[in-house]
Amino acid sequence: MTTPVFLAVLASALMHASWNALVKVGLDRLLSISLIQVGCGIIALFGVAFVPLPNAAAWPWLLASVILHIGYNIFLARSYRVGDLGQIYPIARGCAPLLVTLIGIGLLSDQPSALGYAGIGLLVLGILCMAFPGGRRYRLEHASLVNALITSAFIAGYTLADGSGARANGDAAGYVIWLFLLDGFGMLLVLVALHGTRTLPQLGRHWRVGLIGGALSLGAYGVTIWAMTQAPIALVAALRETSVLFAIAIGMIWLKEPLRRERLLAGGLILAGVVLTHWG
């Protein structure tokens, strides 16, 4: 992983943590996530005129990714309804790189170096330490853990699909635009199917948040997909989960959340993993 790709993925992680902070707009979790995804779709709609149609080889990956993204959105909303944000987010994001690494080795022959593996391991360990800081008050309910792990499986699935799809397409930017267009309007259809058209006025009242969050989400994942065409998918997937660290900083600075000693230790593990991932 070259230094420009490394820095780009870190910027992507920051953008990802930022749009997740915007989900707290006073709506139901599924409505909030759908608002961001629809914002992505609207922005992507204006970009379609400037990119070609995806190659035939990319379409199966693209359609699979849309389905996986919708599943991810639904289970992420369910996770947040039954669990604490500070635990659900690290578990869902932290387990995904491990799944990506295992599947990528078996199916895609994507082999990081020994240092790369060590960096991935430290990143996952640090993120899980964020989720399980210890103590009775931080115990995780069974339903929360199950939903978070299912969410993580969807993250791993769409990460591999999009990395493979962008490589097959040969044009990461074009793939990203079409992905977010289909994903945004697909999520809108799912939302209407689940809750009816009565939810649309609620989304309209928060359109500014949707567009800002959509721009951050599109930029964050667009950079990630491009990076997966330049470096092993497992390394990019692991490095992107430093968004957990940025989320902690955003919570401390903007939301005035306390920074416990356990989270400082977990943050150190994540930073060590970042360094080894870059060297790897």
Side-chain angles (χ1 to χ4, degrees):
M1 184 181 294
T2 63
T3 297
V5 174
F6 175 80
L7 295 176
V9 176
L10 287 183
S12 167
L14 175 58
M15 287 188 285
H16 187 275
S18 298
W19 82 253
N20 271 263
L22 289 176
V23 168
K24 298 181 179 180
V25 294
L27 295 173
D28 172 82
R29 289 296 187 188
L30 183 60
L31 285 177
S32 300
I33 293 171
S34 299
L35 175 67
I36 301 295
Q37 298 309 313
V38 171
C40 288
I42 292 172
I43 295 171
L45 181 61
F46 289 98
V48 166
F50 302 99
V51 297
L53 280 169
N55 295 335
W59 274 105
W61 296 110
L62 190 60
L63 295 177
S65 177
V66 170
I67 295 171
L68 290 167
H69 269 93
I70 291 173
Y72 157 75
N73 291 328
I74 292 172
F75 275 92
L76 182 63
R78 289 185 60 181
S79 300
Y80 284 155
R81 278 200 296 267
V82 297
D84 178 66
L85 176 67
Q87 289 184 309
I88 294 299
Y89 187 88
I91 294 171
R93 305 307 309 186
C95 293
L98 183 58
L99 294 174
V100 169
T101 301
L102 295 176
I103 297 172
I105 293 170
L107 298 181
L108 304 178
S109 300
D110 246 350
Q111 293 279 359
S113 68
L115 284 178
Y117 282 121
I120 291 169
L122 282 177
L123 276 171
V124 172
L125 178 61
I127 291 168
L128 293 181
C129 285
M130 288 271 190
F132 299 101
R136 182 180 298 273
R137 61 178 293 193
Y138 300 116
R139 286 182 179 174
L140 192 63
E141 295 293 333
H142 179 263
S144 301
L145 178 61
V146 170
N147 280 290
L149 291 175
I150 293 174
T151 302
S152 185
F154 276 111
I155 294 171
Y158 73 63
T159 298
L160 288 165
D162 290 331
S164 301
R167 290 178 179 182
N169 193 49
D171 174 19
Y175 183 91
V176 168
I177 292 297
W178 280 98
L179 170 65
F180 276 101
L181 177 66
L182 296 174
D183 184 35
F185 288 97
M187 196 63 212
L188 180 61
L189 291 176
V190 170
L191 181 66
V192 170
L194 292 175
H195 294 286
T197 56
R198 67 182 184 275
T199 59
L200 299 181
Q202 291 179 275
L203 295 182
R205 285 194 293 270
H206 298 279
W207 66 270
R208 291 183 180 85
V209 174
L211 289 179
I212 294 171
L216 287 170
S217 178
L218 195 154
Y221 200 50
V223 169
T224 300
I225 292 176
W226 166 79
M228 288 189 292
T229 67
Q230 307 295 314
I233 293 175
L235 290 184
V236 175
L239 184 59
R240 185 172 182 260
E241 304 316 339
T242 54
S243 59
V244 172
L245 203 57
F246 289 118
I248 296 298
I250 290 172
M252 182 181 65
I253 296 171
W254 290 352
L255 305 179
K256 309 303 179 184
E257 294 177 351
L259 184 62
R260 298 189 303 272
R261 181 177 59 186
E262 294 89 347
R263 292 205 165 186
L264 280 174
L265 174 61
L269 290 173
I270 292 173
L271 287 176
V274 168
V275 173
L276 286 181
T277 300
H278 179 45
W279 285 347

